[in-house]
Amino acid sequence: MQNKQEGTSDSIEEWPSDWMRAILGALALRALENGPSYGYAIIADLEVNGLGTVKGGTLYPLLTRYESAGFVAAEWRPGEAGPGRKYFSLTDLGRRELERMRDEWTRFTVNSNNYLTNDQAARTGTL
């Protein structure tokens, strides 16, 4: 794992890929919570928020699956100075799915953190 270097504000944290695979769906929906966006802007938003670099080849298939599932809607918009962009927006079903994912992820991380931070005696009930 490549970590942020101390003393540098412009380095990007890279998380283990299996961690990112586990949470990327929720993060993508969260990125659309405040309004429509396109793939590159979602990737940039995740980076700015310390979640590392997500490749387009990972994000776009996910967004396509979410479009098929009805979690997001997509529309092409003309580009201002270049080609058009495919914008994604969260549907009502997608908002409900995001809330479900948030609740489950929160429960999972609380349980995981409790397990990781409690010593062996506390976990087994022995002293």
Side-chain angles (χ1 to χ4, degrees):
M1 176 172 80
Q2 197 177 8
N3 287 329
K4 212 179 229 186
Q5 296 174 3
E6 289 185 5
T8 62
S9 60
D10 58 352
S11 61
I12 296 172
E13 187 130 22
E14 295 298 329
W15 301 103
S17 61
D18 52 342
W19 292 8
M20 288 303 295
R21 276 191 303 277
I23 194 62
L24 184 58
L27 297 176
L29 293 178
R30 167 58 185 99
L32 297 171
E33 191 172 29
N34 294 328
S37 191
Y38 54 96
Y40 180 78
I42 293 170
I43 289 169
D45 187 44
L46 295 175
E47 274 188 32
V48 165
N49 283 285
L51 297 164
T53 303
V54 175
K55 293 183 169 120
T58 301
L59 180 64
Y60 286 107
L62 172 70
L63 292 170
T64 299
R65 285 194 308 275
Y66 279 5
E67 184 180 5
S68 295
F71 298 152
V72 300
E75 69 172 310
W76 282 97
R77 295 185 185 176
E80 294 175 17
R85 290 190 171 132
K86 189 174 187 179
Y87 276 76
F88 298 90
S89 58
L90 206 52
T91 64
D92 289 339
L93 181 61
R95 287 183 191 286
R96 289 192 300 273
E97 179 64 8
L98 175 58
E99 285 308 311
R100 184 194 67 76
M101 291 172 133
R102 272 187 177 130
D103 291 345
E104 287 187 6
W105 185 257
T106 298
R107 223 168 12 118
F108 177 77
T109 56
V110 165
N111 289 343
S112 297
N113 286 331
N114 286 340
Y115 185 80
L116 288 169
T117 58
N118 290 332
D119 65 20
Q120 183 65 27
R123 284 198 312 269
T124 62
T126 61
L127 296 176

